[in-house]
């Protein structure tokens, strides 16, 4: 069941334009809609009546008078429908239930262990989705669909997760996730890579601001990136989600953990894997560190212990994080010099782990940006944190209402 069923809910192109204008604002007056749409009064009035009658929008009072009658205000009807947003990542998967205002009604997460095969996870998702519907009194007819933001590469058109690397469980290749979810839940489903859904969420959250060119980078097990320009996602000939991690920053550098990867690739220096590898090596060398009291076997060390030591301001861990952030800042500067985004949103475990990585990386990036200070870029951790991928998957579904 594809997104066409969603797109057809508002069949009129001009009605889609008006609905999209209303969605960009908390409330907007009829006068403002006339100015921004360029439509005649009679056409706009008819479209507003249609959208109101169908339940897409609501009249929400009157605006301030400018000398004549007070203008009617309109807003999106958040209760028109509900959407599931699903994140599938290497360490965690998450399901959220939202209304059309992107207000979160419910959420559930699962740790991606070695037992979390596609079959197991899909069963959990379907059971939890049905439980959420029951808890909130939502019927299938009230659901717009389910969006999925997954580790790439993915085939968006067929709704298939292709060959993602580094899952602990087996079976994550050529998973027809959209087909399986649609068959189980009986609702439309859509798929994109998680970096794209994350930037969709952040872009929607900042829709009233003036940023036109946004870059998003997720720093975790690997590096994942996406970009929005003029409100539209930028796509390449193939799924580009993990390509930023293969950026070469040292031609004679360390070998990539994957035989197909580049020597000296950015994610070999700035990722959870790189930090864990550096910390394990230091423990084996007998370096003085809090980590030696947190884990007996260096090979069992995880990023969780690294974070614990960082909170205690352990000098060795501060050194490791600073070095990783410096390398990441160099890679980020390369992207700034090529793409020139107005705003860069950074997310993922390394960004959420504390200020040291974020501050070091952004300072290094700024110092190596060619047109600085004439070119000013805003760095942000984003507004939605670790829920951005799942929320953005829901935004992806909602956006189909205004697609032609």
């Amino acid at each position: 069941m594809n997104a066409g069923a969603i797109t057809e809910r508002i069949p009129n192109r001009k009605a889609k334009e008006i609905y999209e204008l209303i969605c960009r604002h908390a409330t907007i007056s009829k006068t403002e809609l006339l100015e921004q749409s360029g439509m005649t009064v009679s056409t706009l009035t008819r479209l507003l009546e249609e959208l109101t009658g169908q339940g897409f929008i609501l009249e929400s009072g009157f605006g301030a008078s400018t000398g004549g009658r007070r203008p009617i205000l309109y807003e999106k009807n958040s209760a028109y429908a509900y959407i599931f947003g699903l994140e599938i990542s290497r360490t965690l998967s998450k399901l959220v239930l939202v209304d059309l205002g992107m207000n979160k009604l419910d959420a559930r997460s699962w740790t991606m262990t070695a037992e979390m095969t596609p079959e197991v996870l899909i069963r959990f998702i379907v059971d939890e989705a049905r439980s959420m519907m029951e808890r909130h009194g939502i019927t299938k007819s009230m659901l717009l669909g389910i969006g999925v933001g997954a580790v790439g590469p993915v085939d968006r058109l067929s709704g298939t997760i292709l060959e993602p690397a580094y899952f602990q469980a087996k079976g994550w290749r050529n998973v027809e996730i959209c087909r399986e979810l649609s068959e189980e839940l009986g609702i439309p489903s859509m798929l994109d890579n998680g970096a794209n859904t994350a930037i969709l969420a952040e872009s929607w959250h900042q829709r009233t601001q003036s940023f036109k060119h946004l870059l998003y980078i997720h720093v975790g097990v690997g590096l994942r990136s996406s970009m929005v320009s003029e409100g539209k996602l930028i796509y390449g000939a193939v799924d580009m989600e993990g390509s930023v991690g293969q950026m070469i920053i040292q031609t004679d550098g360390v070998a990539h953990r994957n035989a197909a990867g580049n020597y000296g690739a950015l994610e070999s220096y700035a990722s959870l894997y790189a930090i864990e590898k550096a910390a394990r090596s230091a423990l084996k060398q007998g370096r003085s560190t809090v980590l030696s009291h947190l884990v007996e076997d260096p090979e069992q060390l995880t990023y969780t212990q690294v974070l614990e030591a960082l909170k205690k301001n352990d000098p060795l861990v501060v050194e490791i994080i600073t070095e990783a952030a410096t390398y990441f800042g160099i890679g980020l500067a390369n992207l700034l010099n090529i793409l020139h985004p107005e705003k860069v949103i950074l997310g993922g475990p390394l960004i959420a782990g504390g200020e040291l990585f974020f501050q070091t990386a952004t300072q290094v990036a700024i110092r190596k940006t060619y047109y600085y200070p004439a070119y000013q870029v805003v760095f942000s951790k984003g507004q939605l944190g670790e829920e951005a991928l799942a929320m953005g998957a829901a935004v992806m579904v909602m956006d189909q209402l205004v697609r032609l």
Side-chain angles (χ1 to χ4, degrees):
M1 192 177 295
N2 59 36
I6 306 171
T7 305
E8 294 165 4
R9 290 203 178 202
I10 305 177
N12 186 299
R13 179 182 61 81
K14 289 186 176 180
K16 288 179 185 287
E17 292 177 12
I18 296 302
Y19 183 67
E20 187 172 18
L21 282 174
I22 294 171
C23 289
R24 291 179 190 169
H25 303 80
T27 59
I28 186 170
S29 70
K30 186 174 181 179
T31 303
E32 291 171 313
L33 289 170
L34 277 170
E35 294 172 353
Q36 294 182 33
S37 69
M39 296 180 185
T40 64
V41 174
S42 60
T43 297
L44 178 61
T45 299
R46 175 176 55 81
L47 294 174
L48 289 172
E49 288 176 351
E50 288 179 3
L51 290 170
T52 303
Q54 293 165 347
F56 287 103
I57 63 174
L58 300 171
E59 293 183 2
S60 57
F62 296 90
S65 173
T66 56
R69 298 170 60 183
R70 296 173 62 193
I72 298 173
L73 297 178
Y74 293 91
E75 65 180 23
K76 176 200 291 185
N77 179 13
S78 296
Y80 168 78
Y82 302 87
I83 308 170
F84 285 116
L86 174 64
E87 170 192 356
I88 299 178
S89 291
R90 298 178 179 99
T91 57
L92 187 81
S93 289
K94 176 177 288 188
L95 180 71
V96 298
L97 173 65
V98 300
D99 62 18
L100 278 193
M102 290 299 115
N103 302 300
K104 187 177 68 175
L105 307 180
D106 216 330
R108 175 72 184 274
S109 298
W110 298 273
T111 302
M112 296 297 283
T113 63
E115 290 72 40
M116 200 64 80
T117 62
E119 294 77 18
V120 172
L121 181 62
I122 289 170
R123 187 73 266 149
F124 283 152
I125 291 164
V126 170
D127 289 346
E128 184 58 33
R130 289 170 177 162
S131 294
M132 288 181 181
M133 292 168 65
E134 186 175 345
R135 283 197 296 273
H136 297 276
I138 296 172
T139 62
K140 187 168 67 174
S141 64
M142 299 164 68
L143 286 168
L144 203 60
I146 180 168
V148 184
V151 174
V154 302
D155 184 332
R156 295 181 297 116
L157 298 180
S158 69
T160 304
I161 299 173
L162 297 176
E163 296 183 293
Y166 316 127
F167 272 86
Q168 292 188 55
K170 295 180 179 180
W172 286 98
R173 287 192 173 192
N174 299 317
V175 179
E176 297 179 318
I177 188 71
C178 286
R179 179 186 62 78
E180 296 196 35
L181 290 175
S182 285
E183 287 179 358
E184 290 282 353
L185 296 172
I187 58 177
S189 59
M190 297 182 63
L191 171 69
D192 207 334
N193 72 58
N196 282 345
T197 64
I199 201 171
L200 274 179
E202 296 290 354
S203 180
W204 181 86
H205 195 76
Q206 301 172 52
R207 64 196 180 283
T208 59
Q209 300 179 24
S210 58
F211 297 111
K212 294 182 179 180
H213 309 288
L214 301 175
L215 174 66
Y216 174 84
I217 305 178
H218 186 275
V219 194
V221 174
L223 302 182
R224 307 157 69 183
S225 66
S226 59
M227 189 167 184
V228 162
S229 183
E230 301 287 353
K232 305 295 182 184
L233 276 167
I234 303 299
Y235 288 104
V238 296
D239 189 356
M240 305 183 297
E241 185 195 44
S243 58
V244 67
Q246 291 299 317
M247 179 191 301
I248 299 170
I249 58 171
Q250 192 169 329
T251 55
D252 61 345
V254 300
H256 195 270
R257 57 184 149 162
N258 186 326
N262 289 322
Y263 282 92
L266 179 58
E267 70 176 30
S268 294
Y269 299 86
S271 62
L272 291 183
Y273 166 81
I275 288 173
E276 289 173 348
K277 181 181 177 183
R280 289 168 185 160
S281 176
L283 278 175
K284 292 174 184 177
Q285 294 169 19
R287 295 280 299 274
S288 176
T289 170
V290 171
L291 292 173
S292 59
H293 304 294
L294 300 178
V295 61
E296 294 183 4
D297 180 1
E299 288 299 322
Q300 300 304 312
L301 178 75
T302 66
Y303 183 62
T304 301
Q305 281 94 41
V306 174
L307 272 186
E308 191 173 340
L310 181 63
K311 291 175 183 176
K312 297 177 180 179
N313 207 33
D314 178 65
L316 173 66
V317 170
V318 169
E319 176 188 324
I320 291 172
I321 297 293
T322 300
E323 181 174 295
T326 299
Y327 277 116
F328 179 72
I330 293 169
L332 182 55
N334 289 335
L335 292 173
L336 296 180
N337 288 329
I338 295 169
L339 301 174
H340 297 102
E342 295 171 284
K343 186 170 186 175
V344 176
I345 302 166
L346 302 177
L350 285 185
I351 302 302
E355 284 296 312
L356 179 61
F357 190 95
F358 179 83
Q359 293 297 336
T360 302
T362 53
Q363 288 168 15
V364 169
I366 281 294
R367 289 197 298 270
K368 296 184 178 298
T369 299
Y370 185 64
Y371 286 109
Y372 183 81
Y375 164 51
Q376 292 284 337
V377 61
V378 176
F379 293 105
S380 168
K381 290 186 178 182
Q383 304 296 316
L384 300 171
E386 289 306 293
E387 291 201 328
L389 278 76
M391 295 293 286
V395 172
M396 173 175 63
V397 174
M398 178 186 68
D399 281 351
Q400 296 307 304
L401 287 171
V402 296
R403 290 290 181 264
L404 298 175

